[in-house]
Amino acid sequence: MRPIVPEADLSEKIHDSVLEAICSGELKAGVRITQEELAQKFGVSRQPVLQAMMLLRREGFLIDAGRKGVCVAPLDVQHARNLYVVRGALDGAAARLAAANYTPHLRQRGRDLLDVGRRAVASGLVQAVIEADIDFHLFIYEASGNPLIGETAHPHWQHLRRVMAAALSEADLRVSVWDEHEGILRALEAGQTAEAEELCRGHAEQMADVLTGRLKVVISRAA
């Protein structure tokens, strides 16, 4: 977690810093979090830390754990699968709309994101691959022209990011994911609305199967 400079929106900055540490895997499931430790780390009073922790609890990233205090929430396989069910529906709807309204400008942006993703894979950095993957899907939401799709998905993406960070290694899905992304782009570029929707939905369903399977292994090893 990076040190921050106290400002008016201090609690938000603390929230974002702790959330980043949780979703990247720096703070593991079950790790105890205290107001005192965070206040000392960030060099602030306990009040903004309390506000940040309250928000993280509401969002499901922290839980009350009895005598242990407040802890990083455990990863849950069923919750991960539920997230991907929702994402599959939203991705499919976004891709159908995007394919019907795809422009040369969107085509170039999509291809640029594909290049970024393949370079991230070549770097061997899991976090870079995850960020590139998220950016690709957010692009499809934007390309749909329906802002409610992105707004609906927004609360879930950090949870999805946390699942990906926990379940993936640098050797996982290096080529196939971005080959699938390229197939989605081709359908968008061709204006194939039904094909684009089917590919996006199927991609999310496949990722759900792969990642929940890997997540089960991660959880069992940590138990």
Side-chain angles (χ1 to χ4, degrees), residues 90-91 93-95 97 141 144 146-154:
L90 292 173
D91 284 12
L97 290 170
Y141 295 167
S144 75
N146 185 338
L148 293 179
I149 294 177
E151 290 172 16
T152 302
H154 177 72

Side-chain angles (χ1 to χ4, degrees), residues 95-136:
R96 174 178 281 276
L97 290 170
N101 300 283
Y102 218 59
T103 65
H105 174 67
L106 290 173
R107 184 188 188 282
Q108 185 58 54
R109 284 186 59 200
R111 288 290 162 173
D112 289 344
L113 287 168
L114 188 68
D115 289 342
V116 169
R118 293 200 185 280
R119 288 199 300 271
V121 166
S123 75
L125 300 174
V126 174
Q127 288 299 326
V129 174
I130 291 171
E131 292 300 329
D133 182 82
I134 292 173
D135 286 345
F136 178 85

